[in-house]
Every structure is written in structure tokens, then in C-alpha cells.
Amino acid sequence: MTKELAAYLRGWKSYFGFCQTPSLLKALDKWIRRRLRSVIWKQWKRGKARYEKLRQLGVDKKLAAQTAGSPLGPWRLADSPALHYALPLAYFDAFHLPRLFEALP
């Protein structure tokens, strides 16, 4: 899935990269990462597996248990602190997923 998405993102970045409204690219980039976190959360299926995966990715016991047992849906949890810690931008960079918006140093 990331290979196909990367091809689309490279095309979008080439076409819209020099736009005058970089905030739109930033918002779209944020939405894409949140959607990917949501998909990953759905793939983990059950609470016990979710807890174990969060713990493997370095999330604190209490936060992992709270997030894995949450009744909220995948979209809401994709924006949670636990998933942001477990699946940061560097996680998606490892899959060579280009960013639409690059912050200047």
C-alpha cells in the first residue's frame, strides 16, 4: 500500500510543490499520516494485540492499556498520543513515503 501511495505523493508533490498555500499541503500530509495510523490500528484487530504492539513500539504501560481498551473508533484513536508516539513521522519515513510539506530548518 505504501508503494502505491508513495507514487501518488511524489506526483502530487511535483505538481503542487510550489503552490502559494503550503498550509493546504501540510493539512493534507497530516490527514494522510492519520489515515495510515488508522489503517494500522485496524490491522492490529483486538485489544490484547494492540496493547502488545504499542508496548513493542515503546509506549508506556498505562497509556498503552488505556488506548488499547478505548471504545473510540480507529479514526479518533489515530490522533491519540499513544499512536503518535508509537508511529511517528520517522516510522513512515522508513517506508520511503514522501512528505508533501517539508518544514524549513
Side-chain angles (χ1 to χ4, degrees):
M1 182 171 67
T2 56
K3 287 182 183 180
E4 291 178 29
L5 181 60
Y8 280 106
L9 291 179
R10 276 192 291 281
W12 271 67
K13 188 173 184 176
S14 296
Y15 189 78
F16 293 108
F18 299 106
C19 69
Q20 294 180 0
T21 55
S23 61
L24 293 175
L25 292 180
K26 188 175 182 179
L28 182 60
D29 204 31
K30 185 178 176 182
W31 184 89
I32 290 168
R33 297 311 190 269
R34 185 174 178 182
R35 182 73 178 132
L36 289 172
R37 286 184 186 101
S38 175
V39 168
I40 292 169
W41 186 253
K42 286 180 191 178
Q43 288 176 347
W44 290 347
K45 302 249 185 215
R46 301 190 184 268
K48 188 174 181 181
R50 290 172 173 171
Y51 174 79
E52 290 172 3
K53 290 285 190 177
L54 288 172
R55 290 293 295 143
Q56 287 173 3
L57 292 170
V59 178
D60 180 58
K61 286 181 183 182
K62 184 178 178 183
L63 184 58
Q66 190 177 30
T67 306
S70 175
L72 299 176
W75 180 251
R76 292 275 304 271
L77 286 173
D79 207 22
S80 70
L83 284 177
H84 274 281
Y85 184 82
L87 306 171
L89 288 176
Y91 179 85
F92 300 110
D93 290 343
F95 290 109
H96 306 290
L97 200 61
R99 296 184 194 180
L100 293 176
F101 178 79
E102 297 286 339
L104 296 175

